[in-house]
């Protein structure tokens, strides 16, 4: 079923930004029977998509090929074609600049692309995670300036945060409740009308600012709880208590406790970044976000903690890190995905290299680090072979990808620093939890 529109409209919705969020969203709308135009500025990505190839390791190409076969999905870089759509959903990146302030450049350039093609009655919905006020102030200004139309009067404007959970097969667009806020009640109604096609449960909130705050709250919650459990790990380790055993026992409590797990730090395009959008914005109100900043300090210190454990373990064995061959396992920021943005594996690799270690990595999802990405660009994953593993003096487990043979690792590498609690402790290697 498609949304009734003037007959010259070929698409119900254009998705601007075809990444971890935009692609699953486009597929969800196609599955719901809508006609979808996917727009991106990355030519290589578009070519892959047009040929039915998934650029995302966790998303099978068949899903894209199947959606293309319906004839209701097309991909383009031609921004003029936005005018063929009844609605536009923007899913572009929201990174931080070098000094931790928000980089809205992608949102603003997407807005500039959309503005000349805005029509009366059209809907623009932003899904990128950002601070409260972005849709109402920044995006609105760009759209109004470029179109000469007025948001909430001539066109509809909304914000709906994305809850995509890459790699989690249980998390399907249709079944994850979706929060929606509109600039006006009519904007909200129009946004609900669009999303209702693809999502079973919608959660309307008062306005765009509230919807933006919902997303930041969800991610701040994860950010501070991960920091808390990382701090508990450090404390319990000193006390000779196994933090994983503590968490597994604590989570048997049927109420009032939610398990979070320690690790080598936090990564990804959301959790280490979004909280600082709030930190930056509240300065305008003369206050600060002490909890967020403390959590950030703890999470950012975890790579040092992990490397220190390696140094101490090598020292105890009478060995130096300088010149040692160290294998880092898992450079994606979480298990089962190929996304290595903000991965704590990189600061760990940097620290090891700075101390003179010879660093290699193994990641079945990232065979090669993309060029221009960071100082490790172009490095390739080692092949998983017992005789190759046996050439390393130590290994550091950063990301617990499923399918990795940790027992085989422990049988071939003499020392393992396990930040993820996945290596069987009864193997030959000296396994240190960190
Ligand atoms: N990755 C996640 O799991 C996740 C989950 C929830 C929310 N989010 C949020 O969703 C937003 C998008 O994240 P993502 O992970 O999908 O990013 P991504 O980097 O995977 O994809 C973004 C895409 O947008 C394209 N793009 C950038 N500027 C553009 C423009 N002006 N016009 C057209 N295309 C443009 C890029 O080429 C890229 O393909 C971010 O705000 C992020 O915080 C991400």
């Amino acid at each position: 079923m498609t949304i009734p529109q003037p007959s010259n409209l070929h698409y119900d919705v254009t998705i601007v930004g075809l990444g971890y969020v935009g692609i699953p969203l486009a597929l969800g709308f196609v599955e719901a029977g809508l006609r979808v135009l996917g727009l991106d500025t990355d030519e290589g990505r578009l070519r892959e998509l047009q040929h039915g190839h998934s650029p995302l390791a966790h998303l099978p190409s068949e899903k894209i090929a199947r959606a293309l076969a319906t004839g209701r999905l097309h991909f383009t870089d031609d921004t003029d074609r936005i005018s063929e759509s009844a609605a536009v959903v923007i899913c572009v990146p929201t990174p931080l600049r070098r000094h931790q302030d928000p980089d809205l450049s992608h949102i603003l350039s997407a807005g500039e692309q959309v503005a000349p093609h805005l029509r009366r009655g059209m809907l623009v919905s932003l899904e990128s995670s950002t601070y409260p006020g972005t849709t109402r102030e920044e995006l609105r200004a760009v759209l109004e300036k470029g179109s000469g139309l007025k948001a909430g009067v001539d066109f509809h404007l909304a914000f709906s945060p994305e809850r995509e959970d890459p790699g989690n097969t249980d998390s399907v667009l249709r079944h994850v409740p979706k929060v929606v806020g509109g600039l006006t009640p009519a904007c909200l109604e129009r946004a609900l009308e669009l999303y209702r096609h693809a999502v079973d449960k919608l959660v309307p909130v008062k306005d765009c600012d509230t919807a933006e705050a919902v997303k930041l709250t969800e991610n701040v919650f994860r950010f501070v709880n991960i920091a808390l459990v990382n701090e508990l790990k450090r404390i319990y380790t000193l006390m000779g208590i196994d933090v994983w055993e503590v968490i597994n026992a604590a989570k048997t409590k049927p109420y009032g406790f939610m398990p979070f797990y320690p690790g080598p730090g936090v990564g990804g395009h959301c959790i280490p970044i979004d909280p600082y959008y709030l930190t930056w914005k509240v300065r305008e109100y003369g206050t600060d976000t002490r909890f967020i900043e403390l959590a950030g300090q703890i999470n950012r210190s975890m790579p040092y903690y992990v490397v220190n454990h390696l140094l101490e373990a090598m020292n105890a064995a009478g060995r130096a890190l300088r010149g040692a061959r160290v294998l880092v396992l898992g450079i994606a920021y979480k298990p089962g995905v190929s996304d290595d943005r903000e991965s704590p594996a990189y600061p760990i690799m940097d620290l090891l290299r700075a101390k003179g270690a010879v660093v290699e990595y193994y990641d079945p999802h990232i065979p090669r680090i993309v060029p221009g990405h960071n100082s490790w660009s172009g490095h390739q994953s080692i092949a998983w072979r017992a005789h190759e593993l046996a050439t390393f003096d130590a290994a550091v487990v950063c990301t617990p990808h499923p399918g990795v043979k940790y027992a085989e690792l422990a049988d071939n590498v003499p020392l393992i620093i396990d930040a993820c609690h996945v290596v069987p402790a009864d193997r030959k290697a000296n396994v240190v939890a960190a």
Side-chain angles (χ1 to χ4, degrees):
M1 188 179 64
T2 53
I3 299 166
Q5 289 290 335
S7 57
N8 59 339
L9 290 182
H10 299 130
Y11 298 100
D12 298 299
V13 60
T14 291
I15 310 286
V16 180
L18 300 168
Y20 285 88
V21 166
I23 297 173
L25 189 65
L27 299 183
F29 279 132
V30 172
E31 223 167 85
L34 299 196
R35 299 159 305 169
V36 179
L37 182 67
L39 183 111
D40 204 289
T41 44
D42 181 334
E43 276 179 31
R45 173 153 296 198
L46 281 174
R47 245 193 323 274
E48 275 192 84
L49 289 166
Q50 277 156 348
H51 287 98
H53 298 151
S54 171
L56 311 176
H58 65 281
L59 186 89
S61 293
E62 302 84 71
K63 285 198 172 181
I64 293 168
R66 218 179 306 135
L68 285 170
T70 64
R72 294 195 305 274
L73 176 63
H74 297 107
F75 296 112
T76 187
D77 60 354
D78 181 358
T79 53
D80 284 347
R81 297 189 62 191
I82 293 172
S83 58
E84 297 173 28
S85 255
V88 178
V89 176
I90 299 174
C91 315
V92 294
T94 41
L96 287 172
R97 294 189 193 281
R98 242 180 103 212
H99 298 290
Q100 307 279 79
D101 45 341
D103 176 359
L104 293 188
S105 61
H106 298 280
I107 293 183
L108 301 180
S109 72
E112 281 162 10
Q113 290 159 11
V114 172
H117 308 290
L118 269 177
R119 268 188 330 273
R120 284 177 201 283
M122 204 162 169
L123 165 71
V124 180
S125 176
L126 178 64
E127 295 218 2
S128 305
S129 311
T130 183
Y131 59 75
T134 307
T135 310
R136 178 176 49 80
E137 295 167 343
E138 324 285 354
L139 181 59
R140 174 193 192 163
V142 170
L143 293 173
E144 290 186 344
K145 185 171 171 219
S147 66
L149 299 176
K150 203 155 172 43
V153 177
D154 301 315
F155 67 94
H156 301 296
L157 186 57
F159 181 86
S160 179
E162 183 50 55
R163 285 172 164 170
E164 174 64 16
D165 188 9
N168 176 357
T169 46
D170 295 335
S171 174
V172 178
L173 179 67
R174 176 162 292 287
H175 304 307
V176 179
K178 192 155 179 51
V179 172
V180 188
L183 190 70
T184 65
C187 294
L188 174 62
E189 259 325 298
R190 175 65 185 94
L192 292 172
E193 183 193 2
L194 172 69
Y195 287 118
R196 205 170 279 132
H197 289 272
V199 182
D200 287 341
K201 187 172 165 47
L202 296 174
V203 185
V205 294
K206 184 176 161 234
D207 49 27
C208 298
D209 290 38
T210 307
E212 288 160 336
V214 170
K215 179 66 191 180
L216 292 195
T217 302
E218 291 169 5
N219 284 355
V220 166
F221 178 77
R222 279 191 73 73
F223 190 65
V224 299
N225 276 290
I226 291 170
L228 174 64
V229 86
N230 277 333
E231 183 167 88
L232 291 176
K233 172 171 78 171
R234 300 169 96 134
I235 294 166
Y236 292 148
T237 301
L238 287 172
M239 299 168 81
I241 297 167
D242 178 348
V243 70
W244 278 276
E245 189 176 356
V246 170
I247 296 165
N248 286 333
K251 76 180 185 192
T252 59
K253 184 179 177 185
Y255 52 89
F257 182 83
M258 182 186 283
F260 284 84
Y261 297 94
V266 289
H269 183 46
C270 299
I271 307 299
I273 290 175
D274 299 353
Y276 293 103
Y277 269 62
L278 194 57
T279 300
W280 181 85
K281 183 65 179 173
V282 299
R283 288 197 197 117
E284 199 177 303
Y285 296 82
T287 187
D288 47 29
T289 53
R290 287 160 59 198
F291 237 103
I292 291 173
E293 281 163 70
L294 176 60
Q297 283 165 20
I298 294 172
N299 288 331
R300 277 196 306 275
S301 74
M302 294 315 291
Y304 295 87
Y305 178 81
V306 170
V307 171
N308 256 345
H309 269 67
L310 175 58
L311 268 172
E312 278 174 22
M314 292 198 73
N315 189 46
R319 313 250 308 281
L321 190 48
R322 176 163 298 280
R325 281 175 54 73
V326 180
L327 179 66
V328 170
L329 282 105
I331 58 167
Y333 81 93
K334 74 175 199 176
V337 303
S338 59
D339 190 349
D340 60 351
R341 289 177 289 181
E342 315 297 326
S343 170
Y346 288 123
I348 286 175
M349 287 160 70
D350 289 342
L351 286 167
L352 292 172
R353 184 167 58 186
K355 291 190 184 305
V358 178
V359 184
E360 304 260 15
Y361 81 92
Y362 173 73
D363 193 312
H365 297 278
I366 307 178
R368 184 162 184 260
I369 299 168
V370 292
H373 189 55
N374 58 31
S375 69
W376 295 93
S377 294
H379 276 67
Q380 294 186 28
S381 169
I382 64 151
W384 187 272
R385 293 194 200 98
H387 70 268
E388 175 112 28
L389 295 176
T391 66
F392 288 95
D393 299 297
V396 180
V397 181
C398 288
T399 310
H401 283 307
V404 174
K405 296 172 190 151
Y406 294 105
E408 189 177 350
L409 175 79
D411 286 346
N412 286 285
V413 182
L415 170 65
I416 298 176
I417 305 300
D418 184 5
C420 308
H421 198 57
V422 285
V423 182
D426 57 347
R427 309 302 285 214
K428 275 198 300 200
N430 174 16
V431 180
V432 179

CSV table of all heavy atoms in Angstrom, one decimal, residues 16-22 39-42 45 91-94 106 109-110 113 127-129 162 164 166 215 269-270 274 333 341, ligand 1:
chain,number,residue,atom,x,y,z
A,16,VAL,N,18.1,9.7,2.6
A,16,VAL,CA,19.3,10.4,2.3
A,16,VAL,C,20.4,9.9,3.3
A,16,VAL,O,20.3,10.1,4.5
A,16,VAL,CB,19.2,12.0,2.5
A,16,VAL,CG1,20.6,12.6,2.2
A,16,VAL,CG2,18.1,12.5,1.6
A,17,GLY,N,21.4,9.2,2.8
A,17,GLY,CA,22.4,8.6,3.6
A,17,GLY,C,22.2,7.1,3.7
A,17,GLY,O,21.3,6.7,4.5
A,18,LEU,N,23.0,6.3,3.0
A,18,LEU,CA,22.7,4.9,2.9
A,18,LEU,C,23.8,4.1,3.7
A,18,LEU,O,24.7,3.6,3.1
A,18,LEU,CB,22.6,4.4,1.5
A,18,LEU,CG,21.5,5.1,0.7
A,18,LEU,CD1,21.7,4.8,-0.8
A,18,LEU,CD2,20.2,4.6,1.2
A,19,GLY,N,23.8,4.2,5.0
A,19,GLY,CA,24.8,3.5,5.8
A,19,GLY,C,24.1,2.5,6.7
A,19,GLY,O,23.1,1.9,6.4
A,20,TYR,N,24.7,2.3,7.9
A,20,TYR,CA,24.2,1.4,8.9
A,20,TYR,C,22.7,1.6,9.2
A,20,TYR,O,22.0,0.7,9.5
A,20,TYR,CB,25.0,1.4,10.2
A,20,TYR,CG,26.3,0.7,10.0
A,20,TYR,CD1,27.4,1.5,9.5
A,20,TYR,CD2,26.5,-0.6,10.2
A,20,TYR,CE1,28.7,0.8,9.3
A,20,TYR,CE2,27.7,-1.2,10.0
A,20,TYR,CZ,28.8,-0.5,9.5
A,20,TYR,OH,30.0,-1.1,9.3
A,21,VAL,N,22.3,2.9,9.2
A,21,VAL,CA,20.9,3.2,9.5
A,21,VAL,C,20.1,3.3,8.2
A,21,VAL,O,19.0,2.7,8.2
A,21,VAL,CB,20.9,4.6,10.2
A,21,VAL,CG1,19.5,5.1,10.3
A,21,VAL,CG2,21.4,4.4,11.6
A,22,GLY,N,20.5,4.0,7.2
A,22,GLY,CA,19.7,4.2,6.0
A,22,GLY,C,19.4,3.0,5.2
A,22,GLY,O,18.2,2.9,4.7
A,39,LEU,N,19.4,7.7,-1.6
A,39,LEU,CA,20.4,8.7,-2.1
A,39,LEU,C,21.6,8.8,-1.3
A,39,LEU,O,21.6,8.8,0.0
A,39,LEU,CB,19.7,10.1,-2.1
A,39,LEU,CG,20.5,11.2,-2.7
A,39,LEU,CD1,19.8,11.7,-4.0
A,39,LEU,CD2,20.6,12.4,-1.7
A,40,ASP,N,22.8,8.7,-1.9
A,40,ASP,CA,24.0,8.8,-1.2
A,40,ASP,C,25.1,9.6,-2.1
A,40,ASP,O,24.9,9.6,-3.3
A,40,ASP,CB,24.6,7.4,-0.8
A,40,ASP,CG,25.5,7.5,0.4
A,40,ASP,OD1,26.6,8.0,0.3
A,40,ASP,OD2,25.1,7.0,1.5
A,41,THR,N,26.1,10.1,-1.4
A,41,THR,CA,27.1,10.8,-2.2
A,41,THR,C,28.3,9.9,-2.5
A,41,THR,O,29.2,10.3,-3.2
A,41,THR,CB,27.6,12.0,-1.3
A,41,THR,OG1,27.8,11.6,0.0
A,41,THR,CG2,26.6,13.2,-1.3
A,42,ASP,N,28.3,8.7,-1.9
A,42,ASP,CA,29.5,7.8,-2.0
A,42,ASP,C,29.2,6.9,-3.3
A,42,ASP,O,28.4,6.0,-3.2
A,42,ASP,CB,29.6,7.0,-0.7
A,42,ASP,CG,30.8,6.0,-0.8
A,42,ASP,OD1,31.2,5.6,-1.9
A,42,ASP,OD2,31.2,5.7,0.3
A,45,ARG,N,29.8,3.1,-2.9
A,45,ARG,CA,28.7,2.5,-2.1
A,45,ARG,C,27.4,2.3,-3.0
A,45,ARG,O,26.7,1.3,-3.0
A,45,ARG,CB,28.3,3.4,-0.9
A,45,ARG,CG,27.1,2.9,-0.2
A,45,ARG,CD,27.2,3.3,1.3
A,45,ARG,NE,28.3,2.6,1.9
A,45,ARG,CZ,28.4,2.5,3.3
A,45,ARG,NH1,27.5,3.0,4.0
A,45,ARG,NH2,29.4,1.8,3.8
A,91,CYS,N,19.5,10.3,7.1
A,91,CYS,CA,20.2,9.4,8.0
A,91,CYS,C,21.7,9.5,7.8
A,91,CYS,O,22.4,8.6,7.4
A,91,CYS,CB,19.9,7.9,7.7
A,91,CYS,SG,18.2,7.6,7.5
A,92,VAL,N,22.2,10.7,7.9
A,92,VAL,CA,23.6,11.0,7.6
A,92,VAL,C,24.5,11.0,8.9
A,92,VAL,O,23.9,11.1,10.0
A,92,VAL,CB,23.8,12.3,6.9
A,92,VAL,CG1,23.2,12.2,5.5
A,92,VAL,CG2,23.3,13.5,7.7
A,93,PRO,N,25.8,10.9,8.9
A,93,PRO,CA,26.6,10.8,10.1
A,93,PRO,C,26.6,12.1,10.9
A,93,PRO,O,26.4,13.2,10.4
A,93,PRO,CB,28.0,10.6,9.6
A,93,PRO,CG,27.9,10.2,8.1
A,93,PRO,CD,26.6,10.8,7.6
A,94,THR,N,26.8,11.9,12.2
A,94,THR,CA,26.9,13.0,13.1
A,94,THR,C,28.1,12.8,14.0
A,94,THR,O,28.0,12.4,15.2
A,94,THR,CB,25.7,13.2,14.0
A,94,THR,OG1,25.2,11.9,14.5
A,94,THR,CG2,24.5,13.9,13.3
A,106,HIS,N,27.2,17.2,7.9
A,106,HIS,CA,26.5,16.3,7.0
A,106,HIS,C,25.0,16.6,7.0
A,106,HIS,O,24.3,16.5,6.0
A,106,HIS,CB,26.7,14.8,7.4
A,106,HIS,CG,28.1,14.4,7.4
A,106,HIS,ND1,28.7,14.0,6.2
A,106,HIS,CD2,29.1,14.3,8.3
A,106,HIS,CE1,30.0,13.7,6.4
A,106,HIS,NE2,30.2,13.9,7.7
A,109,SER,N,24.5,19.8,5.0
A,109,SER,CA,24.6,19.6,3.6
A,109,SER,C,23.4,18.8,3.0
A,109,SER,O,22.9,19.1,1.9
A,109,SER,CB,25.9,19.1,3.1
A,109,SER,OG,26.0,17.7,3.5
A,110,ALA,N,23.0,17.8,3.8
A,110,ALA,CA,21.8,17.1,3.3
A,110,ALA,C,20.6,18.0,3.3
A,110,ALA,O,19.8,18.0,2.3
A,110,ALA,CB,21.5,15.9,4.3
A,113,GLN,N,20.7,20.0,0.2
A,113,GLN,CA,20.4,19.2,-1.0
A,113,GLN,C,18.8,19.1,-1.1
A,113,GLN,O,18.3,19.1,-2.2
A,113,GLN,CB,20.9,17.8,-0.9
A,113,GLN,CG,22.4,17.7,-1.1
A,113,GLN,CD,23.0,16.4,-0.5
A,113,GLN,OE1,22.2,15.5,-0.1
A,113,GLN,NE2,24.3,16.4,-0.4
A,127,GLU,N,16.8,11.5,11.2
A,127,GLU,CA,17.0,10.3,12.0
A,127,GLU,C,18.4,10.3,12.7
A,127,GLU,O,18.7,9.5,13.5
A,127,GLU,CB,16.8,9.0,11.3
A,127,GLU,CG,15.3,8.9,10.8
A,127,GLU,CD,14.8,7.5,10.9
A,127,GLU,OE1,15.6,6.6,11.3
A,127,GLU,OE2,13.7,7.2,10.5
A,128,SER,N,19.3,11.2,12.2
A,128,SER,CA,20.7,11.2,12.8
A,128,SER,C,20.6,11.6,14.2
A,128,SER,O,19.9,12.5,14.6
A,128,SER,CB,21.5,12.2,12.0
A,128,SER,OG,21.5,12.0,10.6
A,129,SER,N,21.4,10.9,15.0
A,129,SER,CA,21.4,11.2,16.5
A,129,SER,C,22.1,12.6,16.7
A,129,SER,O,23.2,12.9,16.2
A,129,SER,CB,22.3,10.2,17.2
A,129,SER,OG,21.9,8.9,16.9
A,162,GLU,N,16.8,6.8,15.5
A,162,GLU,CA,17.0,5.5,14.9
A,162,GLU,C,17.5,4.5,16.1
A,162,GLU,O,18.3,4.9,16.9
A,162,GLU,CB,18.1,5.6,13.9
A,162,GLU,CG,18.4,4.3,13.2
A,162,GLU,CD,17.2,3.6,12.6
A,162,GLU,OE1,16.4,4.2,11.9
A,162,GLU,OE2,17.0,2.4,13.0
A,164,GLU,N,18.5,1.3,15.3
A,164,GLU,CA,19.2,0.2,14.6
A,164,GLU,C,20.3,-0.4,15.5
A,164,GLU,O,21.0,0.4,16.2
A,164,GLU,CB,19.8,0.8,13.3
A,164,GLU,CG,20.7,-0.1,12.5
A,164,GLU,CD,20.0,-1.3,11.9
A,164,GLU,OE1,18.7,-1.3,11.9
A,164,GLU,OE2,20.7,-2.3,11.6
A,166,PRO,N,23.2,-2.9,14.7
A,166,PRO,CA,23.8,-3.7,13.7
A,166,PRO,C,24.3,-5.0,14.3
A,166,PRO,O,24.9,-5.0,15.4
A,166,PRO,CB,25.0,-2.8,13.2
A,166,PRO,CG,24.6,-1.4,13.6
A,166,PRO,CD,23.8,-1.5,14.8
A,215,LYS,N,16.8,9.9,22.3
A,215,LYS,CA,18.0,9.2,21.7
A,215,LYS,C,19.2,9.4,22.6
A,215,LYS,O,20.0,8.5,22.9
A,215,LYS,CB,18.2,9.6,20.3
A,215,LYS,CG,19.4,9.0,19.6
A,215,LYS,CD,19.1,7.5,19.4
A,215,LYS,CE,20.4,6.7,19.0
A,215,LYS,NZ,20.1,5.3,18.9
A,269,HIS,N,29.8,4.4,16.2
A,269,HIS,CA,29.5,5.8,15.8
A,269,HIS,C,28.5,6.4,16.8
A,269,HIS,O,28.1,7.6,16.6
A,269,HIS,CB,28.9,5.7,14.4
A,269,HIS,CG,28.6,7.1,13.8
A,269,HIS,ND1,29.5,8.1,13.9
A,269,HIS,CD2,27.5,7.6,13.3
A,269,HIS,CE1,28.9,9.2,13.4
A,269,HIS,NE2,27.7,8.9,13.0
A,270,CYS,N,28.0,5.7,17.8
A,270,CYS,CA,27.0,6.3,18.7
A,270,CYS,C,27.5,6.5,20.1
A,270,CYS,O,27.6,7.7,20.6
A,270,CYS,CB,25.8,5.4,18.7
A,270,CYS,SG,25.1,5.2,17.1
A,274,ASP,N,27.6,10.4,20.9
A,274,ASP,CA,26.4,11.1,21.2
A,274,ASP,C,26.3,11.9,22.5
A,274,ASP,O,25.8,13.0,22.6
A,274,ASP,CB,25.2,10.2,21.1
A,274,ASP,CG,25.1,9.6,19.7
A,274,ASP,OD1,25.8,10.0,18.8
A,274,ASP,OD2,24.2,8.7,19.5
A,333,TYR,N,34.1,-2.5,16.5
A,333,TYR,CA,33.8,-2.0,17.9
A,333,TYR,C,32.9,-2.9,18.6
A,333,TYR,O,32.7,-2.8,19.8
A,333,TYR,CB,33.2,-0.6,17.8
A,333,TYR,CG,31.7,-0.6,17.5
A,333,TYR,CD1,30.8,-0.5,18.5
A,333,TYR,CD2,31.3,-0.6,16.1
A,333,TYR,CE1,29.4,-0.5,18.2
A,333,TYR,CE2,29.9,-0.5,15.8
A,333,TYR,CZ,29.0,-0.5,16.8
A,333,TYR,OH,27.7,-0.5,16.5
A,341,ARG,N,34.6,2.1,13.6
A,341,ARG,CA,34.7,3.5,14.0
A,341,ARG,C,34.8,3.6,15.5
A,341,ARG,O,34.1,3.0,16.2
A,341,ARG,CB,33.4,4.2,13.5
A,341,ARG,CG,33.4,4.4,12.0
A,341,ARG,CD,32.1,5.0,11.5
A,341,ARG,NE,30.9,4.2,11.6
A,341,ARG,CZ,29.7,4.5,11.3
A,341,ARG,NH1,29.5,5.7,10.8
A,341,ARG,NH2,28.7,3.6,11.4
B,1,LIG,N1,25.3,2.9,13.2
B,1,LIG,C1,24.4,2.7,14.1
B,1,LIG,O1,24.2,1.6,14.7
B,1,LIG,C2,23.4,3.8,14.5
B,1,LIG,C3,22.3,3.5,15.3
B,1,LIG,C4,21.4,4.5,15.7
B,1,LIG,C5,21.7,5.8,15.2
B,1,LIG,N2,22.7,6.1,14.4
B,1,LIG,C6,22.9,7.5,13.9
B,1,LIG,O2,22.4,7.5,12.6
B,1,LIG,C7,23.2,8.4,11.8
B,1,LIG,C8,23.8,7.7,10.6
B,1,LIG,O3,24.8,6.7,11.1
B,1,LIG,P1,25.3,5.5,10.2
B,1,LIG,O4,26.0,4.6,11.2
B,1,LIG,O5,24.2,5.0,9.4
B,1,LIG,O6,26.3,6.3,9.3
B,1,LIG,P2,27.1,5.7,8.0
B,1,LIG,O7,28.4,6.4,8.0
B,1,LIG,O8,27.1,4.2,8.1
B,1,LIG,O9,26.2,6.2,6.8
B,1,LIG,C9,26.0,7.5,6.5
B,1,LIG,C10,25.9,7.6,5.0
B,1,LIG,O10,25.5,8.9,4.7
B,1,LIG,C11,26.2,9.3,3.5
B,1,LIG,N3,26.2,10.8,3.4
B,1,LIG,C12,26.9,11.7,4.2
B,1,LIG,N4,26.5,12.9,3.8
B,1,LIG,C13,25.6,12.8,2.9
B,1,LIG,C14,24.8,13.8,2.1
B,1,LIG,N5,24.9,15.1,2.3
B,1,LIG,N6,24.0,13.3,1.2
B,1,LIG,C15,23.8,12.0,0.9
B,1,LIG,N7,24.5,11.0,1.6
B,1,LIG,C16,25.4,11.5,2.6
B,1,LIG,C17,27.5,8.7,3.6
B,1,LIG,O11,28.2,8.6,2.3
B,1,LIG,C18,27.2,7.3,4.2
B,1,LIG,O12,27.0,6.3,3.2
B,1,LIG,C19,24.2,9.0,12.8
B,1,LIG,O13,23.7,10.2,13.3
B,1,LIG,C20,24.3,7.9,13.9
B,1,LIG,O14,24.7,8.5,15.1
B,1,LIG,C21,23.6,5.1,14.0
